[in-house]
Amino acid sequence: MAVRTYLQAISDGLREEMRRDERVFVIGEDVGVYGGAFKVTQGFQSEFGPWRVLDSPLAETAIVGACTGASMMGMRPVAEMQFADFVSCAWDHLVTVAAKQHYRAGSPLPFVVRLPSGGGFSGGPFHSQNPESSFAHIPGLKIVCPSTPEDAKGLLVEAIRDPNPVLYFEHKHLYRRIKGEVPEGDWTIPFGEARVHRAGSDLTIVTWGAMVHTADEAAARAAERDGTSVEVLDLRTITPWDRTAVLSSVARTAKLLVLHEDTRTAGFGAEIAATVAEEAFELLDAPILRVAAPDTPVPFSPPLEKAFIPQVDDVLRAIDRLASY
Amino acid sequence: MVAREAAAVATPAEARAAGLDQEDLLLIYRHLLVTRGIEERGHILYRQGKIPGSFYTGRGNEAGAVGVGFAMGLDDVGCPIQRDMGVHIARGTEPWRIFAQYLGRVDGFARGRDGNVHMADFRLGLVAMVSHLPAMAPVAVGAALAFRLRNQPRVAVAWSGDGATSRGDWHEALNFAGVRQLPVVFVIDNNGFAYSTPNALEFPSGRLADRATGYGFEGVVVDGTDVLAVHREARRAIEKAREGGGPTLLEIVTLRMEGHAVHDDAFYVPKGLHEAWAKRDPIERYRAFLAEHVPGFAEERDDAIRLEVKQLLNEAVRRADESPLPDPATVLDGVYVDPAELDAPHHK
Ligand SMILES: Cc1ncc(C[n+]2csc(CCOP(=O)(O)OP(=O)(O)O)c2C)c(N)n1
C-alpha cells in the first residue's frame, strides 16, 4: 500500500478510472491546462488529451447539463465545480432535470460532480460552504463525503461506476493535510456503509468529512483526560446513509452526538437525530446533541470563522455534557 | 465585427469635448495611482501574511475601471467586479476602509463577514459583488428598472469579466434590459483570460461586444489602456441611457497583468504577451499624455501627486491596522436586517 494524501487519492482514483474506461471524461473550469484550481487533474490533459479533459467556459449549468446529456448517451462524465459553492448556479439543472430523470423517464444518468467544499482558510461566504444537506433533501441524487485518502479513492471509483448522478464532496481542508495508506489496484467502497473511525463505548459521535478529524481529536483528548470512551462513526455517504450502523452504535453507547460543519438548522444532523429518536428512543440515556455551525453565512475574518466552524473544544464540551448526563 | 470600435483620445481638446477640464485630467491621474497603489500595498501585506484568504488585483485594468467610474453621475449605481478597484476609487471610496476590508477588520465594508474585493461603499452607489459571476448583472438591471419605474434620471452600470459572460445570468440580464430599454450600461472587462482559460475557449464570436446586436442595442469596443477613450465611451453610453436611449454594451480590452489571484503565476499565458502589454501600461501611457499636454506636469505636478498618494496610502494602512478584528461573540449579528438600518441614501 502506498501513502497518499487525500488529494492524491482523488487524482489516482480518477486517473485509474479514466485509464480503465474510455467513457470517463473530465469537464470543468480550468481543469485542463491549469490542472484544476486545486490541481486534482494536474497532468491529466497531457495524458488524456484536450477532449477528455475539457476546459469548459465559466458556465456551471452548461457543465452539469452537458453531464446529463453525455451520460444519457452512454458516457461517464466527471465534472468539477471550481468550488462546491458554485454548484448553486447549477442547482436548477441538478434538481429539476438530473435528479428526476430516471424516476420520470427511466434513463440512468451515470455522472459525478466533484465539489471542493468546506472552510477553514478565510475563504468567506462563497468559498467555504458545505452544501450537502440541501442536496440530501432532493430524491434522485447520491451524496458522498469522504474523510480519508482510502475512502476518497474507493468512493470516487464507486461514484463513477454508479448509474446515478452523484455529488462527491471533497473537503479542501483535507486535501494536503490528511495522508494515509491507500490500497492499490481496482477496488471500490460501497455507498451506505459507515465506518468506525474510532471504537468506543460511552457515547457515539456521528459525523462525516473534515469533522471526522475534529471528532477524533476531541475523542482522543477526552480519553486522555478522564478515560471517556468515544466512538466516532464516519457516515462516508449521506445519500444513502447507514442507519443500521448508527442505530447499532447507539444501542451500545446509549448516547449520541451528531457533528457537522454545515449550519445547524435543517442540516443533515437533524435527520439523523430524528431517525434515532423515532427508532431508538428507549435505548437512549441522554438527549441527542448536535454540534454544528451557527445559522449564518460563513464569515471571512479569522476570529469569526473560528467561532463559526465547530472546533475540538466545542465537541469536547458536548462530550462532557453527554458523559455527565 | 458589428460593434463600433472606439477611436483613441489624442488631445486635451478631445478630452474637453468629453467634459474633462485640466483639474479632471489630474484627478484621473491621481485615481489611477491610488488604484494601483492600494493593490500593490495589499499584495505586500498579503505576502507578509497579514491578509487572510486570497488576494486579487486588477493590474492592467486601472484605466478601464477609473474611466468608467469617473464617467458615472453622482446618483448612478454600479456593480463592479474583481478587477475594478478603480471604480471604487473614482467614486470616492476611502482607501483605509479598503485595507480594513482586506485585513478582515470591523471597519471593512463587510465588517469581517466577507473579505477581499467583495466590498463596496453603498453610500457611494456601489454594490458589493458576490463570488458567483456574473450574479450582479441582473441586480444592476433591477436597479435600472427601479429608476425607470420612478422616472429618476439615474443609470446603473453592470460589470462582468469576459469569462462570466458565458453564464445564463448575463444573457438574461441583457435580454431583459434590451426588451425594456432600461437605463443600464453593461461593461465587460475583457482581460483575455478567465483564470487560465483564454478567450478562444470561452466564446466563439470575434468580439463580445458584437453580442449587443442580438439584444437590440449598441456594442462598443474600446482600448482599455486609454483612460480618456474609456471615459468618453462610458460617458456617452451612460448619458444615452439617462436620456432614454437604452442600454449599451461596452467591451474594454486589456490583458490581466498578474495571475488570477496571488497564488497563480499565470504560466499558461503565452510567452511575450505580458511583455508586449507591459509596453502599453495604462498609467505610463496616461503619464506621457499629461507630460505632453499639461504645462508643469512633468516638472512638478507629477512628483507632487505621487508624494500625496504615497502619504495617503501610508496613512490608510496605518489607520486600517488600528481597526480591531471582529469580536467572535458577534458572529450571529447581521444575518437579518434591523428596520433601523433602512436609511441608506440609495434606499430612498
Ligand atoms: C459562477 C462562478 N463559477 C466559478 C467561479 C470561479 N472563478 C472566479 S473568477 C473566475 C474567472 C473569471 O473570469 P472573467 O469573468 O474573465 O474575469 P477575470 O477574473 O478574468 O477578470 C472563475 C472561474 C466564480 N467566481 N463564479
Side-chain angles (χ1 to χ4, degrees):
Chain A
M1 284 210 276
V3 172
R4 305 296 277 162
T5 63
Y6 182 87
L7 186 143
Q8 287 166 334
I10 297 169
S11 288
D12 291 349
L14 187 52
R15 193 186 305 104
E16 287 168 22
E17 205 54 12
M18 288 181 77
R19 286 178 186 162
R20 253 191 304 266
D21 183 348
E22 61 182 23
R23 297 170 303 173
V24 180
F25 72 94
V26 167
I27 180 169
E29 292 156 20
D30 308 291
V31 294
V33 174
Y34 195 73
F38 298 97
K39 305 290 180 188
V40 171
T41 53
Q42 187 154 38
F44 277 46
Q45 202 174 59
S46 37
E47 178 170 353
F48 300 107
W51 284 94
R52 280 188 78 198
V53 186
L54 238 137
D55 275 319
S56 75
L58 194 171
E60 285 75 8
T61 306
I63 294 168
V64 179
C67 288
T68 294
S71 63
M72 210 180 264
M73 297 299 128
M75 300 298 284
R76 302 225 156 211
V78 179
E80 175 178 296
M81 293 288 105
Q82 199 151 74
F83 285 79
D85 310 70
F86 299 124
V87 75
S88 57
C89 296
W91 166 270
D92 179 24
H93 179 86
L94 277 168
V95 171
T96 308
V97 182
K100 297 173 178 51
Q101 182 64 22
H102 187 259
Y103 186 72
R104 289 170 46 246
S107 33
L109 300 180
F111 72 81
V112 180
V113 183
R114 293 183 30 246
L115 303 123
S117 59
F121 331 78
S122 282
F126 310 105
H127 289 79
S128 311
Q129 295 171 92
N130 294 277
E132 66 269 11
S133 295
S134 26
F135 288 105
H137 192 65
I138 309 300
L141 302 174
K142 293 194 177 179
I143 298 170
V144 183
C145 302
S147 72
T148 66
E150 180 175 351
D151 288 354
K153 184 173 172 186
L155 290 168
L156 179 60
V157 175
E158 178 77 5
I160 296 171
R161 296 181 188 178
D162 192 283
N164 296 283
V166 179
L167 304 183
Y168 179 93
F169 290 89
E170 45 195 65
H171 200 291
K172 304 193 288 288
H173 203 32
L174 304 180
Y175 271 154
R176 294 177 173 82
R177 186 168 61 106
I178 299 297
K179 293 190 180 69
E181 295 201 329
V182 180
E184 277 148 59
D186 185 1
W187 54 277
T188 60
I189 295 172
F191 290 172
E193 289 186 13
R195 179 178 60 85
V196 178
H197 188 79
R198 163 189 286 267
S201 53
D202 294 336
L203 63 100
T204 301
I205 302 181
V206 171
T207 188
W208 58 89
M211 285 295 120
V212 169
H213 302 280
T214 304
D216 190 59
E217 200 180 324
R221 276 172 46 189
E224 214 170 278
R225 203 188 43 194
D226 54 21
T228 305
S229 167
V230 177
E231 176 142 306
V232 177
L233 191 64
D234 178 358
L235 272 192
R236 307 201 284 192
T237 62
I238 300 294
T239 312
W241 69 282
D242 191 348
R243 294 156 181 257
T244 314
V246 172
L247 290 168
S248 71
S249 179
V250 171
R252 282 186 291 104
T253 63
K255 292 178 179 176
L256 174 63
L257 168 62
V258 188
L259 168 65
H260 58 68
E261 188 179 315
D262 191 10
T263 50
R264 179 181 175 92
T265 300
F268 197 69
E271 178 62 27
I272 297 168
T275 303
V276 172
E278 270 177 358
E279 312 214 352
F281 185 74
E282 286 85 6
L283 300 176
L284 289 169
D285 283 345
I288 301 166
L289 294 189
R290 282 179 291 163
V291 173
D295 293 321
T296 76
V298 188
F300 159 78
S301 191
L304 296 179
E305 191 186 31
K306 189 154 176 272
F308 175 88
I309 295 178
Q311 305 289 319
V312 172
D313 284 338
D314 301 320
V315 180
L316 265 176
R317 264 193 299 280
I319 289 175
D320 289 344
R321 244 185 93 190
L322 279 182
S324 64
Y325 190 84
Chain B
M1 186 166 86
V2 194
R4 174 169 65 80
E5 189 141 19
V9 170
T11 65
E14 286 167 43
R16 236 182 340 272
L20 301 176
D21 63 20
Q22 187 168 305
E23 282 316 301
D24 291 327
L25 294 181
L26 293 172
L27 190 53
I28 285 174
Y29 179 62
R30 187 177 182 280
H31 289 330
L32 291 170
L33 295 185
V34 173
T35 298
R36 181 167 292 179
I38 284 178
E39 295 189 333
E40 284 178 347
R41 281 176 193 242
H43 204 147
I44 294 168
L45 291 170
Y46 186 84
R47 296 223 177 270
Q48 292 171 338
K50 293 185 178 152
I51 293 179
S54 54
F55 190 73
Y56 304 82
T57 74
R59 197 176 183 93
N61 192 46
E62 294 91 345
V66 169
V68 180
F70 205 79
M72 291 169 67
L74 211 56
D75 290 325
D76 293 344
V77 161
C79 300
I81 52 163
Q82 63 273 25
R83 314 297 172 196
D84 295 324
M85 180 59 67
V87 174
H88 298 277
I89 299 308
R91 289 195 66 80
T93 303
E94 294 171 278
W96 78 275
R97 295 200 62 200
I98 297 171
F99 288 114
Q101 167 83 10
Y102 285 163
L103 294 165
R105 307 301 173 87
V106 292
D107 291 299
F109 299 102
R111 304 172 343 278
R113 267 93 181 128
D114 202 346
N116 59 61
V117 279
H118 295 177
M119 61 165 198
D121 191 337
F122 193 60
R123 297 168 309 176
L124 302 174
L126 296 176
V127 181
M129 68 179 290
V130 298
S131 280
H132 296 52
L133 302 167
M136 305 313 282
V139 175
V141 171
L145 179 64
F147 302 154
R148 181 65 193 274
L149 292 171
R150 296 161 128 187
N151 269 320
Q152 293 173 328
R154 299 167 70 186
V155 176
V157 183
W159 277 264
S160 170
D162 41 283
T165 63
S166 303
R167 277 202 57 243
D169 292 22
W170 195 76
H171 162 74
E172 295 188 26
L174 272 76
N175 189 60
F176 185 30
V179 167
R180 295 287 174 169
Q181 290 292 295
L182 296 175
V184 54
V185 175
F186 297 99
V187 177
I188 301 170
D189 294 334
N190 185 352
N191 56 18
F193 287 83
Y195 208 150
S196 73
T197 311
N199 274 188
L201 291 181
E202 290 283 356
F203 52 89
S205 51
R207 290 255 64 111
L208 286 169
D210 288 347
R211 292 189 187 170
T213 313
Y215 299 113
F217 46 87
E218 189 192 15
V220 182
V221 182
V222 61
D223 175 357
T225 70
D226 184 346
V227 67
L228 298 179
V230 172
H231 170 268
R232 183 194 58 211
E233 295 308 322
R235 186 166 182 266
R236 259 189 204 158
I238 289 168
E239 295 317 317
K240 177 179 169 187
R242 203 184 308 288
E243 282 149 24
T248 302
L249 175 57
L250 187 59
E251 179 180 354
I252 299 178
V253 181
T254 60
L255 180 69
R256 197 192 68 211
M257 293 302 284
E258 290 176 336
H260 169 62
V262 284
H263 66 269
D264 170 21
D265 65 5
F267 67 87
Y268 45 79
V269 174
K271 294 268 166 298
L273 205 54
H274 279 130
E275 290 73 8
W277 280 82
K279 295 199 188 94
R280 305 177 51 199
D281 181 82
I283 299 185
E284 293 307 324
R285 175 178 180 162
Y286 191 51
R287 181 178 287 133
F289 174 89
L290 294 176
E292 188 181 340
H293 296 293
V294 175
F297 177 80
E299 296 74 18
E300 48 189 330
R301 287 302 286 269
D302 189 10
D303 283 344
I305 294 172
R306 287 205 225 195
L307 182 67
E308 187 199 325
V309 168
K310 191 172 158 196
Q311 285 163 346
L312 172 82
L313 298 181
N314 286 345
E315 173 57 18
V317 173
R318 192 196 58 72
R319 190 168 170 199
D321 202 30
E322 280 175 11
S323 173
L325 281 164
D327 177 354
T330 65
V331 70
L332 291 171
D333 296 359
V335 177
Y336 298 98
V337 70
D338 180 337
E341 287 168 31
L342 275 180
D343 62 355
H346 284 274
H347 250 287
K348 290 191 177 146

